[in-house]
Amino acid sequence: MYRFAKTVAILGGRAGRQLRHGSTAPQDFHSKYGMGVLVSGSVFCTAVWAYVLTQTGIVWNVSPVKRMTPKPWRDAE
């Protein structure tokens, strides 16, 4: 257990240092396409939910209370 805790502490400290001082890995993809991917994903999600809510005919949160009547019980013969 000690080795595991020590490894986690070392990796956690290393990750914290990378966040504070900047990572050594190139950040090309996120700096180039990050905002475009975020905006296009948001637009897609909004469009899909707008379609689902307005065009599919789903009735939301309808309670069956006082709308359904139980079938009459059949006694065993």
Side-chain angles (χ1 to χ4, degrees):
M1 185 66 186
Y2 174 72
R3 288 182 183 174
F4 176 72
K6 184 178 175 182
T7 304
V8 168
I10 290 171
L11 291 176
R14 195 178 299 162
R17 264 184 264 120
Q18 284 181 348
L19 287 174
R20 282 192 301 270
H21 300 296
S23 178
T24 58
Q27 303 263 337
D28 294 332
F29 180 81
H30 293 291
S31 61
K32 276 185 174 179
Y33 306 111
M35 187 58 71
V37 170
L38 179 68
V39 170
S40 63
S42 299
V43 168
F44 177 77
C45 183
T46 303
V48 167
W49 273 109
Y51 174 78
V52 167
L53 292 174
T54 60
Q55 301 297 319
T56 57
I58 296 175
V59 180
W60 298 90
N61 295 327
V62 175
S63 174
V65 176
K66 293 186 180 179
R67 293 185 184 188
M68 295 176 63
T69 56
K71 294 179 181 178
W73 185 260
R74 291 190 307 161
D75 292 329
E77 296 178 11

